[in-house]
Amino acid sequence: MASEDITKLVESLAKTKVGGGQLSFKGQSLKLNTAEDAEEVIKQIEEFDGLEALRLEGNTVGVEAAKVIAKALEKKSELKRCHWSDMFTGRLRSEIPPALISLGDALITAGAQLVELDLSDNAFGPDGVRGFEALLKSPACYTLQELKLNNCGMGIGGGKILAAALKDCHRKSSAQGKPLALKIFVAGRNRLENDGATALAEAFGIIGTLEEVHMPQNGINHPGITALAQAFAINPLLKVINLNDNTFTEKGAVAMAETLKALRQIEVINFGDCLVRSKGAVAIADAVKEGLHKLKELNLSFCEIKRDAALTVAEAVEDKTELEKLDLNGNCLGEEVCEQLHEILEGFNMASVLGSLSDDEGEEEDEDEEEDEEEEEEEEEQKQLEERGAEEQESLTPKKIIDSQASTPVPSPPVDVATFLAFPSPEKLLRLGPKCSVLIAQQTDTSDVEKVVATLLRISSVFKDEASVKTAVHETTDALMKKAFSSATFNSDAFITNLLVHMGLLKSEEKIKTVPSLYGILMTLNHMVQQDYFPKSLAPVLSAFVTKGETVQKCHFRQSSRILKSVWSLVAGSAWTMCCVG
């Protein structure tokens, strides 16, 4: 390293911001190739007591420099935030994974407990995800709250690796009694497409604590959007959903609208440039009208929305007192409708929330014919996307620099408890093996009534009148409920109330999404009430609601040609009335 370069480096480091536990080299354009290049950086790290945040954005770090920086980090156990975006400018993609591995291993060795990890704007591709995979699975990330991976080119393969790592982190952290509670997830511009988005959706459904999800520009079509919608429904704390510039179409928009009805904390919805079209916009408007009282921003710009649907959206925000912005720009409205929008919002004293309509496409006709043509184009595009996804998965190149396993294709993640609970099916329950009942009971916090009810409903939802499935459901239910009812902290009365609400037999002040079918839970309850662990004091309450509930009496099970009779056993010395379901 030339003397003038060292002088320049020292001058840059003199500008380093230090304070509040943060050491920042942000935007200094440092070129750290060798161990010698990194000497001054290392010195500052080593001399910084109580290092909680390290900013390396806007520099370029090579493999050798990363190794020595990592060595300095091995003693920084208090490090919580790693702002490492845009720190591999000009590097070969093959350099990035080993650099990330060195840094990640250092954090693991230090015993750090990260809160934020930002690796955005590092074009590392699918192989780069392997570089921090071990870190994500380690105790260093059990406390992670913010994961930012914007513009990294992960692709479908990288998305799947990331999803598997997040699920593994959640499983391991749950086993230690402190499940991963990720709040913010950012992964825009990553070419995740449907398969990558679906894999991540499975992880989101397992985590259940997300507050913000930003996944714009990922080439996601309605199958991936639908999978994300299902996962978002299991994340009740969601405040921000940004899926800008993906392709919903009506199917994806309707699925997302159904999820929005179940979410109460939503503040920002960004579905701009998502082709929700008129029918999708109406579905979203219905969701907005029914709830979302904390909504601050609704972006449905450039979505091919026509006049009537746009007016419906405007009318839906009437009582949204927190609303700051409604963006309907770039749709197909025409001058007259644009004026009507202003009038509607002025009538609500909300004219200021309407964004610019300067890019309006004007009123269009032949909507049905146009949408039919676009649906055909979408189907053709979907086939191409799936083919590309398969090709990308096969093209993941082996990297000896990572580990011996990187030379084999990414395997399909095995079924675990979290996967089953997020997307339950009879097959997944059976694939958990003979210990499924014990595993599910162990990983369910039975002090939380909501979680016990949710778990019970998911177990019972896969009930089938087949010996193997029936046995698995019964054994799993027994293990879970025996653990719950035997716990001194478990509120049995609250449990039965919550269960009845979710069954649609008891009204709630809050809007609760009820189970789509009572078949599984009724058959499971029929088994439960005959077990010794079931509190006899709950029998009269459960019996009263089940035998009088109109929902139960009207329930029809199409998969069975016979009328199901659920005979409730004698509990607490009184006969349970025969409940005829037909």
Side-chain angles (χ1 to χ4, degrees), residues 37 59 64 102 119 179 214 222 245 277 314 337 396 416 472 481 492 515-516 534:
D37 295 341
N59 300 290
E64 292 304 314
S102 296
L119 293 171
H214 302 263
H222 72 79
D245 199 6
R277 297 202 179 105
V337 177
L396 285 175
D416 55 19
M481 299 314 303
S492 299
V515 292
F534 188 83

Side-chain angles (χ1 to χ4, degrees), residues 344-360:
I344 289 172
L345 291 168
E346 281 179 0
F348 302 153
N349 197 26
M350 298 173 67
S352 62
V353 307
L354 184 63
S356 170
L357 297 172
S358 60
D359 293 319
D360 181 63

